C-alpha cells in the first residue's frame, strides 16, 4: 500500500510498504481522511520532535522512518481476537495516544500525561497517511451516523482544543484571548464559545485567518503587525482577559499572552515548541497570574463528537483544501509552510 513516511526534516516520502496485519485486540481500518496537523508540520520543518530516531519508542517499538498521520478516521475492515465492542463496517475516529498504563499519571487516569507518551503517526505505529492502519481497539471511537468521514478527521484536533478549554480556569461569562488562528486556535475559539466565554479576542497576522476567526465567533480580531495586541486586548476587555491561550509556538508571543491577562489571570500554553522561549517572571509574580501547559486530551472524544452533532467544529468552515497522498509534500506540507491562508488540509487515503 502507499504511505507517506518521515525520514527526516524536509524528507517525507510517499512509498509502497506492506499492509499492516491485525493482532489480538487490534482492528484494521480502511483510512478515509487524515488531517495535516501543526505537529506534523513541525516534524517536517524542524524534526525530530516526537519522532523516535536511532532508538525505538518504548511503546510503539518503532523508530524512523515512520508512517505519519494522527488526525484520521475510517471504516473497520478486520477485527482481531478478543475484540467484541467493534465490528467490521463500523466508522471510527482514532484516538492515537500510546500510554503505558502503569506510570503514576496513567494510574490516575491522566493517560495523556504518561511518562512514555507517544502518538500513532508521530512516535511510530501505523499512521493515517496510508491506505490502512492497524491500532488497538481501545483507540477507536464509533462515530455517530450523522457525522461525515471528513468530520471524523477533525475529532482529534477538536479534542486538543476542547481539552485545553476544559483544563483552563475559564467560566461562563469570562473573557478570553487566543494568540494564533491556525487550526487549533480556531477550534479553541469554537470551544470557548461552547463554554460560554463572553468575549473572545483573537490575535493573528493572516487576513484570511482573522476573517475565519470572526466567522467562528471571535468578538474582535487583532493584527499584531499593525497594532499592539496587549494594548488592544486590555482596552477591549477593561483590565485584561481572564484566560489567554498561546497557540503559535512563537517565542515573542509568550510574554504577550501573559501580559494580556488581568490580575490572577491564567495563560494556557497549547503549542508544541521548536525552541526555547523567555518571559519576565515578575509579570506573573506581581499580578499573581498562573501559567499552565496542556497536551493532547483524555476521555473527551465522545463529547467532541456530540458537539459536532450539534454543529460545532464544522469541517465545512475549517477545511481549506483536500489533496491526494501523492501531493502531500508539495500541496500539503509546503503549502502550509508558505500559505497562511490555509487552515486545515485533509489528505484522501489511497485506494
Amino acid at each position: 500500500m502507499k504511505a507517506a513516511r518521515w525520514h527526516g526534516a524536509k524528507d517525507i516520502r510517499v512509498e509502497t510498504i506492506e499492509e499492516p496485519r491485525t493482532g489480538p485486540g487490534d482492528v484494521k481500518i480502511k483510512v478515509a481522511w487524515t488531517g495535516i496537523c501543526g505537529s506534523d508540520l513541525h516534524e517536517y520543518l524542524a524534526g525530530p520532535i516526537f519522532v523516535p530516531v536511532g532508538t525505538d519508542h518504548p511503546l510503539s517499538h518503532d523508530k524512523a522512518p515512520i508512517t505519519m498521520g494522527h488526525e484520521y478516521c475510517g471504516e473497520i475492515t478486520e477485527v482481531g481476537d478478543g475484540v467484541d465492542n467493534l465490528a467490521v463496517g463500523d466508522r471510527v475516529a482514532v484516538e492515537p495516544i500510546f500510554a503505558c498504563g502503569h506510570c503514576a499519571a496513567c494510574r490516575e487516569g491522566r493517560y495523556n500525561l504518561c511518562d512514555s507518551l507517544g502518538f500513532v503517526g508521530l512516535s511510530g505505529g501505523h499512521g493515517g497517511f496510508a491506505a490502512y492502519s492497524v491500532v488497538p481497539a481501545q483507540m477507536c471511537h464509533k462515530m455517530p451516523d450523522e457525522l461525515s468521514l471528513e468530520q471524523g478527521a477533525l475529532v482529534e484536533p477538536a479534542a486538543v482544543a476542547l481539552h485545553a478549554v476544559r483544563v483552563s480556569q475559564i467560566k461562563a461569562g469570562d473573557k478570553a484571548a487566543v494568540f494564533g488562528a491556525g487550526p487549533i486556535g480556531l477550534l479553541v475559539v469554537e470551544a470557548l464559545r461552547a463554554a460560554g466565554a463572553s468575549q473572545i479576542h483573537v490575535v493573528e497576522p493572516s487576513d484570511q485567518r482573522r476573517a475565519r476567526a470572526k466567522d467562528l465567533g471571535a468578538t474582535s480580531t487583532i493584527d499584531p503587525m499593525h497594532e499592539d495586541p496587549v494594548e488592544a486586548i486590555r482596552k477591549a476587555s477593561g483590565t485584561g482577559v481572564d484566560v489567554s491561550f498561546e497557540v503559535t509556538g512563537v517565542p515573542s508571543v509568550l510574554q504577550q499572552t501573559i501580559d494580556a491577562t488581568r490580575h490572577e489571570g491564567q495563560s494556557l500554553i497549547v503549542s508544541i515548541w521548536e525552541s526555547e522561549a523567555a518571559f519576565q517572571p515578575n509579570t506573573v509574580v506581581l499580578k499573581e497570574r498562573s501559567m499552565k501547559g496542556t497536551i493532547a486530551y483524555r476521555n473527551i472524544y465522545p463529547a467532541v463528537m456530540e458537539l459536532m452533532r450539534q454543529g460545532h467544529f464544522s469541517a465545512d468552515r475549517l477545511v481549506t483544501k483536500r489533496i491526494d497522498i501523492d501531493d502531500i509534500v508539495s500541496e500539503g506540507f509546503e503549502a502550509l509552510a508558505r500559505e497562511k491562508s490555509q487552515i486545515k488540509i485533509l489528505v484522501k487515503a489511497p485506494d
Side-chain angles (χ1 to χ4, degrees):
M1 66 175 185
K2 280 185 180 178
R5 291 165 62 76
W6 188 96
H7 287 259
K10 288 289 192 116
D11 186 8
I12 291 175
R13 308 174 197 173
V14 177
E15 302 175 319
T16 299
I17 63 171
E18 277 191 38
E19 284 187 17
R21 296 181 179 180
T22 307
D26 291 339
V27 296
K28 185 174 183 178
I29 300 164
K30 176 66 183 80
V31 178
W33 293 96
T34 306
I36 301 178
C37 176
S39 299
D40 297 328
L41 186 60
H42 287 308
E43 295 288 356
Y44 175 71
L45 294 174
I49 299 170
F50 283 107
V51 175
V53 174
T55 303
D56 287 357
H57 186 274
L59 300 180
S60 74
H61 308 295
D62 282 340
K63 61 184 176 183
I66 60 110
T67 300
M68 295 193 76
H70 61 279
E71 298 180 356
Y72 68 106
C73 65
E75 184 176 310
I76 292 176
T77 59
E78 291 180 25
V79 297
D81 291 343
V83 177
D84 54 14
N85 61 328
L86 294 167
V88 171
D90 285 346
R91 300 180 317 137
V92 293
V94 176
E95 181 178 355
I97 288 183
F98 290 121
C100 72
H102 54 74
C103 70
C106 284
R107 290 198 307 270
E108 294 168 12
R110 295 174 170 85
Y111 57 89
N112 62 314
L113 307 182
C114 175
D115 289 345
S116 301
L117 179 69
F119 298 89
V120 175
L122 285 171
S123 310
H126 305 291
F129 291 138
Y132 291 93
S133 173
V134 167
V135 296
Q138 67 262 27
M139 288 187 180
C140 294
H141 296 261
K142 287 179 66 171
M143 291 172 51
D145 292 339
E146 300 95 318
L147 297 186
S148 69
L149 285 167
E150 286 194 4
Q151 280 295 149
L154 290 181
V155 174
E156 198 276 347
V160 172
L162 187 59
H163 177 72
V165 170
R166 277 186 166 187
V167 301
S168 78
Q169 66 186 26
I170 199 84
K171 300 184 298 295
D174 281 354
K175 301 170 185 176
V178 179
F179 285 76
I184 299 297
L186 291 171
L187 289 162
V188 168
V189 170
E190 283 217 69
L192 284 166
R193 194 159 54 86
S198 62
Q199 293 182 15
I200 306 170
H201 305 284
V202 174
V203 181
E204 169 58 51
S206 163
D207 293 343
Q208 295 92 336
R209 289 181 173 184
R210 285 199 311 276
R212 194 63 59 99
K214 199 77 171 174
D215 290 343
L216 292 173
T219 309
S220 73
T221 57
I222 299 152
D223 182 351
M225 310 306 291
H226 291 95
E227 60 180 322
D228 182 329
V230 174
E231 184 179 317
I233 289 169
R234 296 188 73 81
K235 181 178 180 181
S237 61
T239 58
V241 295
D242 299 283
V243 183
S244 63
F245 295 80
E246 192 292 312
V247 206
T248 69
V250 176
S252 61
V253 174
L254 182 59
Q255 186 67 61
Q256 296 174 347
T257 307
I258 297 166
D259 292 341
T261 62
R262 70 192 303 275
H263 58 275
E264 295 189 316
Q266 183 188 49
S267 299
L268 262 288
I269 302 173
V270 186
S271 299
I272 299 296
W273 293 69
E274 294 178 5
S275 61
E276 294 181 355
F279 69 97
Q280 168 50 263
N282 285 343
T283 58
V284 175
V285 172
L286 297 178
K287 291 294 183 179
E288 293 193 352
R289 292 167 165 139
S290 63
M291 298 176 67
K292 186 177 179 68
T294 174
I295 180 68
Y297 34 75
R298 59 179 178 264
N299 304 317
I300 204 169
Y301 266 44
V304 169
M305 290 190 286
E306 178 56 31
L307 286 171
M308 284 181 167
R309 264 192 356 99
Q310 297 173 20
H312 295 278
F313 311 128
S314 168
D316 290 341
R317 303 172 78 179
L318 291 164
V319 176
T320 49
K321 200 175 191 182
R322 298 159 180 83
I323 63 174
D324 291 326
I325 196 167
D326 289 328
D327 301 320
I328 194 169
V329 173
S330 61
E331 296 300 319
F333 288 97
E334 287 293 337
L336 286 170
R338 70 176 179 263
E339 300 171 18
K340 297 309 178 186
S341 60
Q342 295 295 341
I343 297 174
K344 179 55 65 180
I345 295 178
L346 294 186
V347 180
K348 188 177 186 302
D351 294 331

